[in-house]
Amino acid sequence: MALTASIIARPPRASPLAGLALLAGLVVALPLAGVVLAALGDASADIAQRDLLRYAATSGLVALLVGVLTALVGTAAAWLVVMHRFPGRDAFAWLLALPLAAPAFALAYAYADLLDVGGGLRTALRAATGHDLPFEMRSIGGAVFVLTAAFYPYVFLAMRAAFINQSVAALEAATMLGCPRRQLLWRVALPMARPALAAGVALAVMETLADYGAVHFLSVQTLTTGVVRAWSVFGSTASAARFALPLLAAAALLLWLERMSRRGRTHDNGKGRWRAIAPSELGPVRRWLAFAACAMLLVLALGLPLGWLAWQLPLAVPDWARLTLALRNSAGMGLAGAMVTVALAMMLALGTRQWPLAGRLASLGYATPGAVMAIGLLAPAGLIWSLVPGAGAGIALLLLVLAYAARLMAAALEPIDAGLARVTPSMRHAARTLGRGELGAAMAVDLPVARGAMLTATLILFVDILKELPATMILRPFNFDTLAVLASNYALDERLNQAGLPALLIVAMAMPAVIWLTRRIDGARPGALNAAA
Amino acid sequence: MTAVPALICRNVSRRYGGRQAVDDASFVMPPGRVTCLLGPSGSGKSTLLRLIAGLEPVDGGDIAIAGRVMSAPRQTIAPDQRGVGLVFQDHALFPHLSVRANIGFGLTGLARAARAARVDTLMTRFHIAHLGAAWPHMLSGGEQQRVAIARALAREPALLLLDEPFSGLDGRLRADVRAALLADLAALGASVLIVTHDPEEAMAIADHIVLMADGRILQAGTAEHCFRSPASVAAARLLGAVSVLPCTVRGGVAQTPLGPLDAAALPDGPADLVLRDHMLVTASDGVAAQVEHVQFCGQGHVVAARIAGERVTVQCDTAPPTPGDTIMVALHRPVTGIFPRGA
């Protein structure tokens, strides 16, 4: 029939969106594959199996302790703030998330200096009481304390969102069925919020495993410090990759555990009947106890360490030239990294309908420490350098942006997916029948609808990249300092007074974004738990 | 010369995994008229709609719209190239665009002024001119539907598809919206295919009805023809409640519990006599039936009864019987049909 000839032959699966998603997926897959390949290579540095086991045991112990402590602190703070009325409650609801603006290494510098055995505070205490404080910051305990202070907000935010979004009807039903109010947390609210708890703790543990700056400064040897040491001291990518493999495995395990705990537990809170939880009034003593608990948490996690760093500032003469340059580099890398990552995440989000594996891959990237990502990119980098010997700082910066993208893609995907959820399949189909191609429909409908979500994602990534240390250290071009690198270099030179300013500058740059992010999750759903991560 | 049909589906098939969602479906849709695709949920009518819109490829057969083949196996003209408008059940308005911008969304080829004029015309025609600056979330369900239809018609499609357009509305409002909308569509002379699961709605709005069940087309024709002369028991059931009485055909005569009836075209063997509700009335002589249940229905009473053990519905305009009574019933209209068993 002649009519049939007029048909435009179209291969059914050639979709431009799937192609873009594949590209974005490759960015994540490349460093992951790079690590595995590098680990198979010849390890020139002899790192004993015993060391690997010791580092792994330390990593495991720190991760376990931080996981338990952040779960307790974060859940307790969220329960207090959501379910009770006490002085300062509304302010604490978002203030308690602010430690996210401070990099863990800044807390480590401050506490190590403040509580140094030879420092002013302890000397004075010894003179006054004749006793020394029974602990030492440069220890596993010290690292656990610092990391808990730095990462409890992940659990706090997740649990706060979960408690806020819980149907008050379930709590009221429990009360009517004879459950006393003080048992509501254990018997109803906590079991219902278990997926959020798992997600928050998983984030805190992932960050703990990925941390380099704080644990390294506190002389705790974890797998991540092992990765950086194998590379920087022994110059062996293969050895570094061997330390990285258990971290990759741990990342996959964490991801799997988190997924398992979420399985079949999408708690629908029945939009129409949703009512805000009425917080209960606390007694005259208890309300001030609640205030004191929240205030102490905030002081310990933010006020005391940052205050100490600020207090020490006048003791150092800042090297303004280096600082300005580092500030510019940090802002530039933060913006470039955030925008590239958001663009890639958008491509991934639009295309994952055709290619769901990409989303999983991105999550694995997020669970993978930055140091590991950097090691994974060293092999491709070496290849580029051997092919184009003249390729200079530009390529190195590009690789660094790729490392950020690979690591943080999932953090951008979460808000973007939530934003895109507002676009129903029928809206996309409507755009198609109204004359747009697949790509055109995405540009005309998906992109504008998800604009707000993309801004959120950009801010989240900006903050994360500002605080990033190990990947930047490994992949940066020679003499390219960010604020984090500068602070770390000063700190390792025992010039803590000098390290204070770049660390505080990071906080100052990150704080507006963190405040904006934490204040806007009030209306968010439980799924937005990463919204301020 | 006859007009080119708005739509021809010829032996169209679509399979999901092992399930045949649309199975060898063929029908022709006359141009400039309203056609209803009627079937229960899960009958494949929405899938067929998506195949016609080009949102999914066909596995077999072909689809021609306004004389042009648009879908054949492995050859699907993209939805944006087909000249088909589709109005979704949830309206699918773009939340980030105003009503004006939603309606103008598909008018990409036009100059600014021409586009504005076209949008104005459509908004006036569908009585939403005052809503131009409003956002979709501010509109009522009926208003959203008008915007969605105006948007779909903006590109002057050869064929307009509506997926369960009235399912979100209820009661009195539904009938009003339906009547107003059909008047507007009729004035445009558009070829419209409406998918619905509601037989009363289908008969109220459509010039032409296509009956679908289990992925197959059971019958196509005018509403009256389909109602009075169903092609099968299943087709009869789709357009309203029926009573089915088993009978036997021998020599062109069906021996039924209601007496012998003409069945000249049928082969000998077991068959089913199909009766629409209210075809049986209480009478002074006729066939005995045992009353099971009586319900008042306004004009009279509806009696659920059994004839020879088979359930039937009887219309009663006199004093109602009580359950347990035996009453006499008779046919007061020609039967809907007699069909060989298993056909």
Side-chain angles (χ1 to χ4, degrees):
Chain A
M1 191 171 170
L3 284 174
T4 321
S6 69
I7 283 185
I8 308 156
R10 203 178 268 263
R13 283 188 198 282
S15 142
L17 286 180
L20 288 176
L22 192 69
L23 183 74
L26 275 180
V27 170
V28 184
L30 184 70
L32 293 178
V35 171
V36 178
L37 284 181
L40 297 175
D42 188 33
S44 54
D46 273 327
I47 290 178
Q49 204 68 22
R50 208 156 41 90
D51 282 346
L52 190 63
L53 283 177
R54 190 160 52 83
Y55 287 12
T58 310
S59 274
L61 182 62
V62 172
L64 180 72
L65 290 174
V66 173
V68 170
L69 284 177
T70 52
L72 288 175
V73 174
T75 306
W79 182 248
L80 214 50
V81 163
V82 173
M83 294 297 291
H84 304 87
R85 206 186 293 282
F86 57 91
R89 164 190 183 253
D90 294 341
F92 281 127
W94 59 276
L95 281 174
L96 284 174
L98 292 193
L100 282 179
F105 57 77
L107 304 193
Y109 303 160
Y111 274 114
D113 193 41
L114 180 64
L115 298 173
D116 188 74
V117 181
L121 184 68
R122 280 188 135 167
T123 313
L125 268 176
R126 271 199 301 271
T129 64
H131 292 287
D132 198 2
L133 293 175
F135 59 85
E136 158 66 88
M137 273 317 285
R138 288 172 193 261
S139 64
I140 290 185
V144 167
F145 170 74
V146 161
L147 295 177
T148 302
F151 299 142
Y152 84 84
Y154 291 113
V155 182
F156 170 73
L157 284 173
M159 292 308 275
R160 191 172 84 98
F163 288 148
I164 287 178
N165 283 282
Q166 266 173 8
S167 164
V168 70
L171 297 181
E172 284 174 350
T175 314
M176 296 308 293
L177 292 167
C179 176
R181 196 167 169 103
R182 68 199 134 74
Q183 286 183 19
L184 282 180
L185 174 65
W186 295 112
R187 293 189 52 191
V188 186
L190 207 53
M192 286 204 305
R194 200 185 69 181
L197 183 63
V201 171
L203 266 179
V205 170
M206 285 171 194
E207 291 290 344
T208 300
L209 288 176
D211 177 75
Y212 167 74
V215 287
H216 180 59
F217 187 74
L218 296 175
S219 310
V220 175
Q221 286 170 322
T222 63
L223 285 172
T224 302
T225 65
V227 170
V228 179
R229 224 164 73 91
W231 170 80
S232 66
V233 179
F234 300 105
S236 165
T237 312
S239 313
R242 287 200 187 154
F243 280 108
L245 278 186
L247 283 171
L248 258 185
L253 180 72
L254 273 174
L255 215 59
W256 181 75
L257 283 177
E258 197 251 0
R259 236 163 234 292
M260 288 303 288
S261 80
R262 272 208 245 186
R263 177 171 291 176
R265 286 190 151 242
T266 38
H267 296 304
D268 196 350
N269 49 39
K271 276 177 203 157
R273 283 156 292 146
W274 190 86
R275 272 181 299 126
I277 289 170
S280 69
E281 203 71 51
L282 286 175
V285 179
R286 294 169 140 230
R287 60 205 303 254
W288 288 106
L289 279 179
F291 172 84
C294 289
M296 195 184 73
L297 185 55
L298 199 57
V299 166
L300 282 179
L302 204 63
L304 185 61
L306 295 191
W308 181 252
L309 288 181
W311 180 255
Q312 301 290 96
L313 280 185
L315 301 180
V317 182
D319 182 347
W320 287 113
R322 276 185 87 182
L323 271 172
T324 331
L325 205 59
L327 184 73
R328 227 182 52 197
N329 289 341
S330 273
M333 287 315 283
L335 282 179
M339 291 195 303
V340 168
T341 310
V342 167
L344 288 169
M346 192 72 195
M347 282 152 57
L348 202 57
L350 286 175
T352 34
R353 274 162 300 177
Q354 284 95 338
W355 201 49
L357 185 68
R360 301 271 173 84
L361 203 61
S363 305
L364 184 60
Y366 193 46
T368 306
V372 175
M373 282 295 179
I375 294 299
L377 279 173
L378 280 176
L383 194 68
I384 294 174
W385 269 299
S386 66
L387 288 175
V388 195
I395 294 290
L397 290 182
L398 183 70
L399 283 173
L400 189 49
V401 167
L402 284 188
Y404 293 150
R407 162 113 167 81
L408 298 173
M409 189 91 74
L413 262 179
E414 180 125 6
I416 286 177
D417 273 339
L420 285 178
R422 290 178 59 208
V423 183
T424 61
S426 55
M427 281 183 215
R428 287 188 189 103
H429 291 150
R432 295 302 310 276
T433 57
L434 290 169
R436 302 294 162 95
E438 194 187 48
L439 212 53
M443 299 291 277
V445 180
D446 293 287
L447 226 51
V449 169
R451 216 164 30 195
M454 288 168 77
L455 175 65
T456 304
T458 308
L459 287 178
I460 292 170
L461 298 187
F462 181 71
V463 171
D464 268 354
I465 294 174
L466 277 186
K467 298 193 295 180
E468 211 289 329
L469 181 60
T472 316
M473 265 177 50
I474 294 173
L475 286 175
R476 73 196 166 120
F478 184 66
N479 262 354
F480 181 90
D481 287 343
T482 61
L483 288 172
V485 172
L486 200 58
S488 164
N489 285 347
Y490 279 136
L492 294 178
D493 284 351
E494 291 297 329
R495 292 155 74 189
L496 273 177
N497 302 336
Q498 295 280 18
L501 192 50
L504 287 174
L505 282 174
I506 293 176
V507 180
M509 280 170 80
M511 194 60 91
V514 171
I515 291 178
W516 189 80
L517 288 169
T518 51
R519 302 222 51 178
R520 78 188 290 274
I521 58 164
D522 265 345
R525 337 139 337 275
L529 55 96
N530 268 3
Chain B
M1 193 181 125
T2 55
V4 178
L7 171 72
I8 303 173
C9 288
R10 202 170 49 184
N11 309 110
V12 173
S13 294
R14 175 68 175 156
R15 181 188 297 279
Y16 293 126
R19 204 171 62 85
Q20 196 78 37
V22 175
D23 187 4
D24 202 27
S26 300
F27 70 94
V28 174
M29 203 183 125
R33 311 261 288 278
V34 175
T35 301
C36 254
L37 183 56
L38 173 71
S41 57
S43 59
K45 57 193 193 306
S46 286
T47 303
L48 184 52
L49 201 69
R50 293 166 60 80
L51 296 178
I52 296 166
L55 294 169
E56 284 181 39
V58 297
D59 293 330
D62 52 56
I63 297 171
I65 295 163
R68 200 169 151 228
V69 175
M70 294 288 182
S71 287
R74 284 180 303 284
Q75 291 177 315
T76 306
I77 292 188
D80 44 315
Q81 310 289 326
R82 291 166 88 98
V84 171
L86 174 53
V87 178
F88 293 84
Q89 191 171 0
D90 61 359
H91 312 312
L93 298 181
F94 303 126
H96 63 298
L97 298 178
S98 68
V99 165
R100 278 201 79 87
N102 259 289
I103 296 174
F105 185 90
L107 297 172
T108 41
L110 288 183
R112 217 182 156 75
R115 186 167 160 177
R118 179 116 188 83
V119 172
D120 283 333
T121 313
L122 281 162
M123 290 206 299
T124 310
R125 174 167 293 285
F126 287 96
H127 318 290
I128 45 176
H130 58 293
L131 296 173
W135 297 94
H137 66 89
M138 298 157 65
L139 307 182
S140 71
E143 288 168 340
Q144 285 189 12
Q145 183 178 63
R146 294 183 158 266
V147 175
I149 291 172
R151 182 177 73 175
L153 285 172
R155 283 160 59 84
E156 300 185 317
L159 176 62
L160 180 65
L161 310 173
L162 300 166
D163 190 3
E164 299 275 3
F166 309 108
S167 63
L169 313 166
D170 40 37
R172 183 83 204 120
L173 180 67
R174 182 170 175 146
D176 290 346
V177 167
R178 207 161 65 189
L181 186 69
L182 281 166
D184 290 332
L185 287 174
L188 278 174
S191 304
V192 183
L193 179 63
I194 297 179
V195 163
T196 180
H197 65 274
D198 181 345
E200 283 178 34
E201 181 167 287
M203 287 185 284
I205 59 185
D207 310 313
H208 194 82
I209 289 184
V210 179
L211 300 175
M212 192 167 182
D214 296 327
R216 292 170 169 274
I217 305 290
L218 301 181
Q219 191 173 8
T222 63
E224 189 174 346
H225 175 76
C226 291
F227 186 82
R228 291 205 191 287
S229 314
S232 62
V233 179
R237 281 188 202 282
L238 279 185
L239 282 176
V242 291
S243 305
V244 179
L245 292 174
C247 57
T248 311
V249 176
R250 206 172 301 121
V253 177
Q255 300 299 330
T256 78
L258 300 173
L261 291 168
D262 178 41
L266 295 186
D268 287 1
D272 285 316
L273 167 65
V274 174
L275 302 168
R276 290 255 176 246
D277 285 1
H278 316 311
M279 275 182 178
L280 289 174
V281 292
T282 47
S284 52
D285 68 336
V287 185
Q290 285 73 47
V291 175
E292 290 198 327
H293 180 76
V294 182
Q295 191 184 351
F296 180 64
C297 71
Q299 290 100 8
H301 289 80
V302 174
V303 179
R306 283 187 190 273
I307 297 175
E310 301 296 330
R311 250 199 126 134
V312 293
T313 305
V314 181
Q315 178 74 32
C316 171
D317 295 332
T318 55
T322 49
D325 287 357
T326 296
I327 53 173
M328 303 304 274
V329 301
L331 268 175
H332 85 129
R333 282 188 198 151
V335 295
T336 304
I338 303 170
F339 304 98
R341 184 79 49 82

